Amino acid sequence: AHQAVDVGLRHTGDVNRLMGDAGLVRNRLKLQSAVRNAAAVRAIQREHGSFAAYLWGFVGGAPVQGRRRSLAEVPTTTPLSDQISKDLKRRGCSFVGSTIIYAFMQAVGLVNDHVDKCFRRSVCASLK
């Protein structure tokens, strides 16, 4: 969605233009979703001051520290990703299932799922 917004996806009229762009995933449902999601994120920003503030509110402002001994223990979803997914859907977002949300939470640092023996675990655990 971020790439689509960056290339000018602001309203449904842009969907037809972008359907012809070979550099993008040309899935009409996903492009239409990006338009709706962008509007929903703007509403979240107005309500919470920023999308980051909205997200960090779910974890009390500090990353969730997973305690995993192996990659097999790292979940694909959690009750928290379920909660965020449901809230985003309630606000009009789509393509925001719990698995996607959990991967996003890992990518942006809301959760630290580095396994105990990983050299990055302690570094990430020290970030606030």
Side-chain angles (χ1 to χ4, degrees):
H2 296 294
Q3 182 182 10
V5 170
D6 290 344
V7 298
L9 185 56
R10 302 283 184 227
H11 51 78
T12 55
D14 291 325
V15 170
N16 290 331
R17 175 179 58 82
L18 293 174
M19 285 296 292
D21 186 337
L24 295 175
V25 173
R26 291 171 288 172
N27 177 309
R28 183 171 298 280
L29 291 176
K30 288 184 179 181
L31 290 172
Q32 291 169 334
S33 173
V35 171
R36 286 188 308 276
N37 291 358
V41 167
R42 285 191 297 274
I44 289 169
Q45 289 170 325
R46 284 190 297 275
E47 182 181 339
H48 293 273
S50 70
F51 189 62
Y54 163 78
L55 289 172
W56 284 104
F58 284 98
V59 295
V64 174
Q65 299 298 323
R67 300 302 298 180
R68 319 289 183 207
R69 287 176 284 168
S70 72
L71 289 177
E73 293 180 6
V74 178
T76 57
T77 66
T78 64
L80 181 57
S81 67
D82 294 344
Q83 179 186 359
I84 295 171
S85 172
K86 285 177 187 171
D87 191 66
L88 287 170
K89 287 176 183 178
R90 179 184 64 79
R91 294 169 180 273
C93 291
S94 56
F95 290 97
V96 291
S98 187
T99 301
I100 295 215
I101 294 301
Y102 195 68
F104 179 74
M105 291 167 61
Q106 291 170 316
V108 300
L110 291 174
V111 62
N112 177 9
D113 269 341
H114 289 271
V115 295
D116 289 338
K117 294 181 181 179
C118 179
F119 76 99
R120 295 292 298 164
R121 174 160 183 58
S122 62
V123 174
C124 291
S126 68
L127 299 174
K128 303 285 184 235

